[in-house]
Each structure stands twice: as structure tokens, then as C-alpha cells.
Amino acid sequence: MMNNANEITHHTHLYGFIGEQAGQSSISATLNKLFKANNKDAMMIPMNIRDDDFYFTIVNMKKSHVNGALISKEYTQRSVEALDESSEYVKSSGMCDIVYREGQKLIGDIVTISALREHLKTRAVKKVALLGVDCYAKAFVALCNSTFDISFFSDNLEQLMDFVTKIGVKDADINRMAEGMNIDMSRFDAVVDFSDFAKLDMISKLSKINMDLKPKKEFSPLKVRANELESLYIGFDDMLEELSSAVYSFFESKGHLLHDKSDMRF
């Protein structure tokens, strides 16, 4: 999906979606439809980048014609080391999933968690069960702690207590979950899974909404358990519209996307 003439000109604002298997995702096509619907002379291109080439690709973006990029889950931690500047959310979580170029500076932020938060808000979610203690969990707390009542779950209570202490959550509701237990999540409006559990058989009942940010090609224990319990599951590919809107708004807020395709530029 390109511009009306199905072509890229030297004026087209170019963005990338960087991942090991970026071409298998529909996020670029979905965002390009949004660019087209708003008559913007812009395009996102999927960029299949191997692990060995990732840092070189990001660093060289500063001198390229690519104005920014959405970064796939496998590279969100490694992207931080290539940034010249970043938001406080990036600094507190240790992850970055979107970058934009300002001159020859690369600036990083977080957009997928913002999209997830807005999705939950539209569904009138108030109580969230958060599984895991990784960088995505840190970002979720940083961006959502004032929006939702969050309860924390992990198989390691000591690690979980350290997690909530470091991120500054006072009087946190912390809960152990492990194989062989029987855990009822139905009291929550949503379960958000950023854990590394291989299976979630210990959950006997899920909430009405169960989310992670895993693409279709990645195994999701939450999806498996949701299917078993006939509960709603939402993954990365189920949120393409919301994610595209969030990326569009992000770049627009940074002073990008100023030109329509009808603009006369020489």
C-alpha cells in the first residue's frame, strides 16, 4: 500500500518496521492505509533485520532517509543503547519500541504500551492482573499505574517484591502464581501477560479480556489458555488498528506528517 500513484518519491516520508520477521506482520500495511486515508505522503516499510545487523541498522538511521521506525519486540531492549535521547518511560523501563530522527539524533519512546492502555480504557477496564516482571511490565506500570488498579503476579515473590520496590509502587498487591496452584482471575477486568511462563494451566478462570503483545507467529501461553477456557484473547495482530493509530499520532506529534500528497514540493 503506497501513495495514490503507488510510488515513493524523494519527498515521501519513510519509516521502517524493524524486526527479524518484519515482512510477516501486517502493521506496515495497516499504517500505510492510514497514511493514504489521511492523504499523507508517507510510508512504512517492513525491514527484515538479523540480530547481527540490528545495531548497525539503527545507528545508521541517523544519516539515512528513514525518519523513524517501529521496533519489534525482540529488539526493544537493544534499541536503547543506540539512542541519543529518550523519554522518561524508556529510561525507567529499559525498552524502546519507537524511534524518530531529529537531524542526526535518534530519539526513543514507547508506543505499544500506550496503544494497549487506550484499548483497555475503551473497554472500561479498571482492575488489571499484570503477569511478569520484564521491561514490558515496567513500561506498563510506568504508563498505566495511575489509570488502572494493578495487581502483580509472578512465580518468584522475592523477585516480585524487588520489582515493585524499584518501580516505586507502594502497598502493591503482589501474588505468587506457580504450577499446581489454582488461580481465579475472573475478579479482574483484564489480564495482561508479560511473563515467561511456558504454560498457564494454574489459571482456572480468566478475566473478560486477556492480552499480551505477541504476534501470531510467536507462541502464546495466554492464547492457549484463553482458548481452553473459551475466553477472549487479544494479541499484537488483533490490535493493528489501535497500534497504527498510536504510531500515526506519535509521529504527527513530533512534527512529522506535515505534507499531504497534493503538496507541491521541489
Side-chain angles (χ1 to χ4, degrees), residues 56-249:
F56 174 84
T57 301
I58 287 289
V59 168
N60 279 274
M61 189 182 297
K62 301 174 187 181
K63 298 181 180 180
S64 74
H65 294 294
V66 178
N67 295 279
L70 182 65
I71 298 169
S72 187
K73 185 169 172 282
E74 64 271 19
Y75 293 141
T76 52
Q77 287 181 275
R78 289 190 56 200
S79 62
V80 175
E81 60 191 87
L83 302 175
D84 296 296
E85 296 178 13
S86 64
S87 71
E88 289 304 314
Y89 297 124
V90 170
K91 292 172 183 174
S92 63
S93 67
M95 64 164 281
C96 164
D97 61 19
I98 194 164
V99 297
Y100 66 99
R101 185 168 54 80
E102 193 172 272
Q104 290 192 12
K105 289 195 303 184
L106 202 62
I107 305 172
D109 213 325
I110 297 172
V111 72
T112 54
I113 301 296
S114 299
L116 189 155
R117 178 189 61 198
E118 295 310 306
H119 184 88
L120 292 175
K121 284 170 64 177
T122 61
R123 291 175 174 267
V125 166
K126 290 182 169 52
K127 297 182 68 176
V128 175
L130 178 64
L131 281 54
V133 293
D134 71 351
C135 60
Y136 275 86
K138 290 178 183 177
F140 185 86
V141 175
L143 281 153
C144 303
N145 196 40
S146 61
T147 307
F148 308 119
D149 179 9
I150 304 174
S151 295
F152 301 86
F153 289 81
S154 177
D155 59 344
N156 187 321
L157 276 184
E158 185 177 344
Q159 187 181 46
L160 189 54
M161 291 177 67
D162 185 58
F163 172 81
V164 297
T165 300
K166 286 182 177 178
I167 59 179
V169 178
K170 296 181 179 179
D171 302 318
D173 177 21
I174 62 172
N175 304 270
R176 182 173 180 265
M177 62 183 297
E179 193 171 344
M181 297 178 70
N182 189 319
I183 300 173
D184 184 349
M185 293 288 193
S186 61
R187 66 188 175 96
F188 298 100
D189 300 317
V191 170
V192 177
D193 181 21
F194 295 130
S195 73
D196 57 2
F197 283 108
K199 55 184 180 179
L200 294 170
D201 295 351
M202 72 287 287
I203 299 177
S204 58
K205 291 183 181 179
L206 280 166
S207 64
K208 62 180 181 179
I209 302 167
N210 306 283
M211 305 180 70
D212 57 27
L213 287 173
K214 292 182 177 177
K216 284 187 294 186
K217 298 290 183 181
E218 185 177 351
F219 174 72
S220 168
L222 183 64
K223 182 178 182 179
V224 171
R225 194 60 179 146
N227 288 338
E228 291 170 346
L229 297 176
E230 298 182 343
S231 301
L232 176 65
Y233 166 78
I234 300 171
F236 183 89
D237 294 278
D238 301 307
M239 288 184 57
L240 292 180
E241 298 293 337
E242 292 96 330
L243 288 165
S244 295
S245 294
V247 172
Y248 183 100
S249 298

